[in-house]
Amino acid sequence: MNESHTGLLLLLLALLIILSAFFSSSETSMMSLNRYRLKHMSKEGHRAAKRASRLLERPDRLLGTILVGNNIVNILAASIATVVAVELWGEAGIAIATMLLTVVILIFGEITPKTLAALRPELIAFPASAVLALLQRLLYPVVWVCSAMSNMLLRLIGVNPNDKDGDQLTTEELRTVVREAGLGITRSRQNMLLGILDLEKMTVNDIMIPRNEAVGIDLEDSMTVINQQLRSCHYTRLPVYHGDINNITGLVHMRSIARLLSRGELTKEALIGACKEPYFIPESTPLHTQLFNFQKQKRRIAIVVDEYGDVIGLVTLEDILEEIVGEFTTDMLIPSQDIHPQEDGTYVIDGSAAIRDINRHLHWKLPADGPKTLNGLITEQLESIPETSVCLTTGAYRMEILQTKDNMVKSVRVWDRARDQVPVPADTSAPADDAGNPS
């Protein structure tokens, strides 16, 4: 064999190795494309994205095209390398060619191009899709036969080749995608998207205003008291009831009585006449369902009832929206009313404060899957109405009960033990044991 012929074979071998790298990188890049980004780019009119999407609609044919081409290239490369090696080194060239070609293919034809394709899939896949589309037409008979045989084997083991359920995302998977979006989505938008997803896991009972905190108009009060209450009220919609909120008459909008109120002509009869029929909902209603119900019923406030029909609280459209977008500016006074920071790093918190509000404002992780208020959490753990100065531990949080009244915990001093090393008060009447429970 002359030198020119050997040089031509080596040149052809180098070309085959480049083609092997092309097929290897094409396979990895096409399979690594972000399907959702690809769909978005296709809708935006990106030609290469559309072409790649069409190829990925039939992954069996796409992989068949790539693997047929890759195998042809690798077999030819092995044959040429063997011929050249035998010519140069005799029979020992067969072993030498096998070892050298294996190393070259692994480094230049597999590992390097596939790593690049995995890191930059669009950079490789979009240009390669044009070549793959052409090869798929040229090799169609071979690819069709190979794909048909492969699909038949898949069906024998119970796998449907046309099943595309893998492209569907569960709620938890979508939540992970949002969290891992990085700089693609701002923190505020991530919180909003996660808030929408969390609506499915929450009920109106989780965010309602308890009946003992609900502001309403008692028709048994005098008109002087009612007028004063209406003039100082910060809410636009109020429940109207007789004596007890269970005897609710309706819901009044301040706009309906504003003129009479400003003229001093408001009477109980006019107040009752301005009321709209109350809208009752069960406490177990999921938040995402109630959001649609508010839209369907054209309502903004609902009366929450338990399984016995007793009123247990109120929920508004704004309460649900706050779970998505965060608290509105008008509600920013709530933390100062229920949560009082102290100079030593502790917080004095009202027992009626909602655990969800505490966690939100202080970025804590108090258990919120049981009782809804701090008082409920403490009484559930102690299994009794606690005495003043009793201490207990809940997870990473230490609590000292400062005041109890009317069978309720009124005020509690709380601190995060992991962040603020505050010593346990020495004047506790019921010291805590090692587990944090009162002895």
Side-chain angles (χ1 to χ4, degrees):
M1 184 179 295
N2 56 47
E3 293 183 1
S4 61
H5 185 62
T6 302
L8 182 62
L9 289 178
L10 289 175
L11 183 62
L12 180 58
L13 180 60
L15 177 61
L16 291 173
I17 292 172
I18 294 174
L19 290 176
S20 177
F22 166 77
F23 285 115
S24 297
S25 61
S26 298
E27 177 185 3
T28 301
S29 62
M30 292 296 293
M31 296 299 110
S32 299
L33 285 173
N34 187 312
R35 299 296 194 273
Y36 303 99
R37 175 174 169 80
L38 192 62
K39 290 180 181 178
H40 171 71
M41 295 177 70
S42 298
K43 291 180 180 179
E44 294 294 319
H46 196 288
R47 295 180 60 184
K50 289 182 177 179
R51 188 167 55 240
S53 295
R54 287 194 297 268
L55 290 173
L56 288 169
E57 288 176 359
R58 290 297 304 268
D60 55 332
R61 293 184 180 176
L62 173 61
L63 290 174
T65 302
I66 293 173
L67 294 177
V68 166
N70 202 20
N71 278 279
I72 292 174
V73 166
N74 287 339
I75 291 172
L76 282 174
S79 300
I80 292 174
T82 301
V83 170
V84 173
V86 169
E87 181 65 25
L88 295 176
W89 298 295
E91 292 184 1
I94 298 176
I96 295 174
T98 301
M99 290 187 293
L100 289 177
L101 188 63
T102 299
V103 173
V104 171
I105 291 294
L106 279 176
I107 296 176
F108 298 100
E110 294 289 339
I111 298 176
T112 303
K114 285 190 173 183
T115 302
L116 176 62
L119 295 175
R120 300 287 188 271
E122 293 180 7
L123 179 66
I124 305 297
F126 287 167
S129 62
V131 179
L132 293 176
L134 177 61
L135 288 176
Q136 196 173 70
R137 296 188 184 94
L138 296 176
L139 300 174
Y140 181 78
V142 179
V143 172
W144 184 88
V145 172
C146 293
S147 298
M149 296 180 65
S150 174
N151 291 342
M152 182 178 63
L153 292 174
L154 289 174
R155 290 189 178 92
L156 288 176
I157 61 175
V159 177
N160 183 3
N162 298 321
D163 189 3
K164 296 183 179 180
D165 289 343
D167 289 341
Q168 306 299 322
L169 286 178
T170 64
T171 302
E172 292 302 321
E173 290 170 341
L174 183 56
R175 185 177 283 106
T176 301
V177 170
V178 173
R179 288 197 183 103
E180 298 298 325
L183 298 177
I185 304 178
T186 62
R187 176 63 63 180
S188 59
R189 292 183 180 179
Q190 285 186 23
N191 292 335
M192 289 177 63
L193 292 172
L194 292 174
I196 294 173
L197 296 175
D198 287 338
L199 293 185
E200 297 184 357
K201 301 191 301 182
M202 299 170 58
T203 64
V204 295
N205 187 37
D206 294 318
I207 67 166
M208 71 177 184
I209 302 169
R211 60 175 291 169
N212 63 318
E213 297 181 16
V215 177
I217 303 300
D218 187 354
L219 292 174
E220 294 186 0
D221 291 336
S222 65
M223 282 307 303
T224 302
V225 173
I226 292 175
N227 284 329
Q228 182 179 1
Q229 183 179 1
L230 289 172
R231 288 192 174 95
S232 60
C233 182
H234 299 289
Y235 301 100
T236 56
R237 295 171 178 81
L238 295 172
V240 179
Y241 55 88
H242 284 276
D244 186 272
I245 198 169
N246 278 318
N247 302 320
I248 191 166
T249 301
L251 298 169
V252 65
H253 196 296
M254 293 294 292
R255 182 175 55 195
S256 304
I257 58 174
R259 183 174 298 178
L260 293 175
L261 184 63
S262 62
R263 295 178 179 177
E265 300 174 357
L266 182 64
T267 63
K268 292 185 179 181
E269 291 74 15
L271 183 60
I272 295 174
C275 287
K276 291 185 178 181
E277 183 180 356
Y279 174 39
F280 296 97
I281 61 172
E283 60 178 325
S284 59
T285 307
L287 285 190
H288 71 285
T289 301
Q290 187 54 47
L291 183 61
F292 289 117
N293 288 343
F294 272 138
Q295 183 181 29
K296 181 179 179 181
Q297 300 288 338
K298 300 187 185 305
R299 299 273 193 161
R300 298 179 68 92
I301 185 172
I303 312 298
V304 184
V305 297
D306 61 15
E307 57 182 319
Y308 303 105
D310 293 331
V311 175
I312 60 174
L314 304 175
V315 67
T316 66
L317 176 62
E318 288 77 10
D319 294 328
I320 300 179
L321 294 179
E322 283 182 354
E323 293 299 319
I324 300 175
V325 301
E327 290 195 351
F328 298 137
T329 305
T330 54
D331 292 332
M332 294 306 291
L333 293 177
I334 292 178
S336 62
Q337 294 178 349
D338 291 341
I339 304 174
H340 310 279
Q342 305 298 302
E343 293 182 358
D344 59 1
T346 64
Y347 295 88
V348 175
I349 305 177
D350 293 353
S352 60
I355 294 176
R356 288 180 55 80
D357 290 338
I358 297 173
N359 288 340
R360 181 183 300 146
H361 295 306
L362 301 182
H363 304 290
W364 286 0
K365 294 182 180 180
L366 288 170
D369 53 350
K372 307 304 178 186
T373 64
L374 186 59
N375 167 67
L377 177 64
I378 293 174
T379 54
E380 181 186 70
Q381 288 206 346
L382 297 179
E383 298 181 351
S384 63
I385 305 298
E387 299 290 339
T388 304
S389 296
V390 169
C391 293
L392 71 152
T393 298
T394 300
Y397 308 98
R398 191 81 169 180
M399 303 181 186
E400 178 194 3
I401 299 169
L402 300 179
Q403 181 185 10
T404 57
K405 185 179 180 182
D406 299 330
N407 295 327
M408 289 182 60
V409 176
K410 291 295 184 180
S411 122
V412 186
R413 187 168 77 114
V414 189
W415 65 91
D416 184 350
R417 294 186 302 163
R419 184 174 300 178
D420 302 305
Q421 299 297 328
V422 180
V424 179
D427 59 344
T428 56
S429 60
D433 57 20
D434 292 339
N437 299 316
S439 55

